[in-house]
């Protein structure tokens, strides 16, 4: 960081020392002993505008308090069969680590259906994965490597992406808004693999609307991306859908032990076990889904969603159908 960046971090730090005690306590959960790195993320997200970064961070902390995010890892999604159905329809998991020690999260964008539970459960599950990453996985890596590890990489599998994904736009926008406003700059790079035409068409119109900082983070790879990804991670950390060309479905191309989406994968076993264990310490376990309020999206992000919806509809009209046929 340069002198100006250092100064901005210090100024934001001074402002955060002046917030009310509940916000300071929540901030400790967010920064996990590394406030400088957290302040830096919020400053980057607001293009180094101090007042905007301060508002964003304070708004995020108020959101955490109002929605009881600091105790979300004490609220298991029960029964386990419901949680398993969520894992089978919201495809996300930790496949391993890069050679530099960053966690590798895999997301089955094209085959996630979000149709086995209410929106509230999917949002809750997403936030629990974020919080487990930030409060358990990243601190563990920081201790192991002897340096702050505060970010991850994501591999997005577009296998099976269809026009019917338009019907999932609301829940995807909700999850994206939660991330953008409350977990900014947590992803170093997004690697996009197994790309069908429909993604390429949307990316062509969306890319010019993105901030330069965001554009640099997105890398669209050829095929399953195996060769490129092996430059930054070992084979054992590759998501299952990247292990061989033509592997087909990201959902059923490997055993459950290898499939990082599955509840039987070590990551999800550890995550669910951690939440159940935390809940066991509480006299009163809150049941039912956590109804999280979704902040209003940034106007620029809302515009991008509109562009994606318009492009999907355009492609559907060109193909004479919007009934979900793969394009």
């Amino acid at each position: 960081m340069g002198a100006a960046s250092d100064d901005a971090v210090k100024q934001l730090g001074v402002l955060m020392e002046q917030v009310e005690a509940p916000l300071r306590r929540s901030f400790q959960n967010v920064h996990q002993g590394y406030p400088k790195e957290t302040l830096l993320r919020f400053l980057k997200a607001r293009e180094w505008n101090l007042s905007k970064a301060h508002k964003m961070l304070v708004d995020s902390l108020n959101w955490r308090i109002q929605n009881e995010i600091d105790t979300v890892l004490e609220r298991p999604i029960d029964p386990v069969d419901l949680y398993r159905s969520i894992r089978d329809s919201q495809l996300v998991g930790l496949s391993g680590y890069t050679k530099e020690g960053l966690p590798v999260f895999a997301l089955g964008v094209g085959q996630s259906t979000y149709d086995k539970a209410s929106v509230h459960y999917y949002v809750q599950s997403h936030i629990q994965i974020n919080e487990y990453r930030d409060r358990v996985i990243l601190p563990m890596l920081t201790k192991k490597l002897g340096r702050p590890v505060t970010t991850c990489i994501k591999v997005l599998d577009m296998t099976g992406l269809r026009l019917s994904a338009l019907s999932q736009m609301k829940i995807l926008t909700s999850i994206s808004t939660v991330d953008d406003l409350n977990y900014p700059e947590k992803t170093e790079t997004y690697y996009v693999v197994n790309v069908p035409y429909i993604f390429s068409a949307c990316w062509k119109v969306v890319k010019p609307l993105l901030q330069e900082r965001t554009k640099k983070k997105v890398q669209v790879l050829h095929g399953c991306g195996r060769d490129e990804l092996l430059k930054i991670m070992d084979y054992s950390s590759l998501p299952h859908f990247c292990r061989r060309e033509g592997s087909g479905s990201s959902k059923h191309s490997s055993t459950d032990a290898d499939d990082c989406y599955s509840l039987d994968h070590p990551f999800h076993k550890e995550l669910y076990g951690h939440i159940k264990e935390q809940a066991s310490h509480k006299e009163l376990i809150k049941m039912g889904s956590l109804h999280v309020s979704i902040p209003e999206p940034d106007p620029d992000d809302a515009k991008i969603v509109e562009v994606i919806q318009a492009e999907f509809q355009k492609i559907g009209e060109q193909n004479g159908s919007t009934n979900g046929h793969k394009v």
Side-chain angles (χ1 to χ4, degrees):
M1 286 197 308
S5 303
D6 274 332
D7 190 47
V9 169
K10 288 176 183 176
Q11 289 182 58
L12 184 53
V14 169
L15 291 172
M16 292 310 298
E17 289 172 1
Q18 299 168 11
V19 301
E20 297 175 355
L23 272 69
R24 290 201 302 273
R25 286 194 294 271
S26 189
F27 185 48
Q28 289 176 347
N29 254 339
V30 173
H31 67 62
Q32 292 291 313
Y34 290 90
K36 180 180 177 181
E37 284 74 12
T38 300
L39 298 172
L40 188 59
R41 288 194 294 105
F42 279 83
L43 282 163
K44 282 182 179 178
R46 288 297 176 258
E47 303 295 332
W48 299 97
N49 183 305
L50 181 62
S51 62
K52 289 183 178 180
H54 177 244
K55 182 181 185 304
M56 182 186 189
L57 182 46
V58 169
D59 286 349
S60 177
L61 296 175
N62 278 317
W63 172 82
R64 293 180 69 87
I65 292 169
Q66 291 161 8
N67 293 281
E68 302 180 350
I69 303 301
D70 291 317
T71 58
V72 73
L73 292 179
E74 300 166 6
R75 293 190 63 159
I77 295 175
D78 280 328
V80 69
D81 285 346
L82 171 61
Y83 189 66
R84 185 177 292 277
S85 67
I86 290 170
R87 293 280 55 83
D88 289 343
S89 53
Q90 182 184 37
L91 304 181
V92 58
L94 177 73
S95 66
Y97 303 89
T98 68
K99 294 174 183 177
E100 293 183 352
L102 299 183
V104 178
F105 282 90
L107 290 86
V109 178
Q111 293 187 324
S112 291
T113 55
Y114 299 100
D115 59 353
K116 305 297 184 185
S118 71
V119 170
H120 302 294
Y121 276 121
Y122 286 114
V123 172
Q124 177 180 342
S125 174
H126 178 80
I127 291 172
Q128 286 178 329
I129 291 173
N130 279 356
E131 293 291 314
Y132 187 74
R133 174 196 66 197
D134 294 350
R135 291 197 246 165
V136 178
I137 294 174
L138 294 176
M140 176 191 70
L141 292 171
T142 294
K143 184 176 181 180
K144 178 182 176 182
L145 299 175
R147 56 178 169 79
V149 180
T150 59
T151 57
C152 65
I153 72 163
K154 292 181 179 177
V155 184
L156 281 56
D157 180 24
M158 295 294 165
T159 298
L161 186 66
R162 299 168 184 266
L163 289 172
S164 56
L166 194 60
S167 65
Q168 300 163 11
M169 197 62 71
K170 184 176 180 180
I171 186 170
L172 292 173
T173 301
S174 296
I175 288 173
S176 176
T177 300
V178 165
D179 280 356
D180 290 344
L181 297 182
N182 301 289
Y183 303 92
E185 300 295 315
K186 294 298 294 188
T187 304
E188 290 281 325
T189 310
Y190 297 89
Y191 295 99
V192 187
V193 303
N194 296 323
V195 173
Y197 167 75
I198 192 171
F199 172 83
S200 302
C202 286
W203 179 239
K204 187 176 180 180
V205 295
V206 167
K207 188 176 180 180
L209 303 177
L210 299 176
Q211 293 179 335
E212 200 59 38
R213 186 185 75 255
T214 304
K215 286 182 197 175
K216 290 178 180 177
K217 286 185 176 188
V218 181
Q219 294 191 30
V220 181
L221 305 182
H222 175 72
C224 71
R226 180 193 58 196
D227 293 342
E228 285 298 309
L229 292 173
L230 283 174
K231 294 175 183 178
I232 63 166
M233 69 185 75
D234 294 330
Y235 183 84
S236 61
S237 288
L238 280 178
H240 56 282
F241 51 80
C242 294
R243 295 196 174 179
R244 62 185 178 87
E245 294 289 351
S247 58
S249 168
S250 66
K251 214 171 180 180
H252 304 293
S253 59
S254 58
T255 65
D256 286 343
D258 291 329
D259 180 350
C260 64
Y261 302 150
S262 170
L263 182 54
D264 297 315
H265 186 271
F267 166 69
H268 282 298
K269 280 185 174 180
E270 290 166 12
L271 167 61
Y272 196 64
H274 176 85
I275 295 171
K276 295 285 280 187
E277 196 269 336
Q278 293 297 308
S280 70
H281 299 314
K282 298 295 175 182
E283 290 184 12
L284 179 64
I285 299 175
K286 295 184 178 180
M287 303 300 290
S289 61
L290 180 69
H291 286 225
V292 174
S293 62
I294 306 300
E296 283 296 314
D298 182 281
D300 290 341
D301 294 335
K303 173 65 176 175
I304 289 171
V305 172
E306 290 176 9
V307 169
I308 293 173
Q309 290 174 323
E311 190 64 21
F312 265 64
Q313 289 166 351
K314 176 182 171 185
I315 293 169
E317 289 166 5
Q318 288 173 348
N319 285 272
S321 169
T322 54
N323 64 1
H325 293 301
K326 190 190 296 186
V327 177

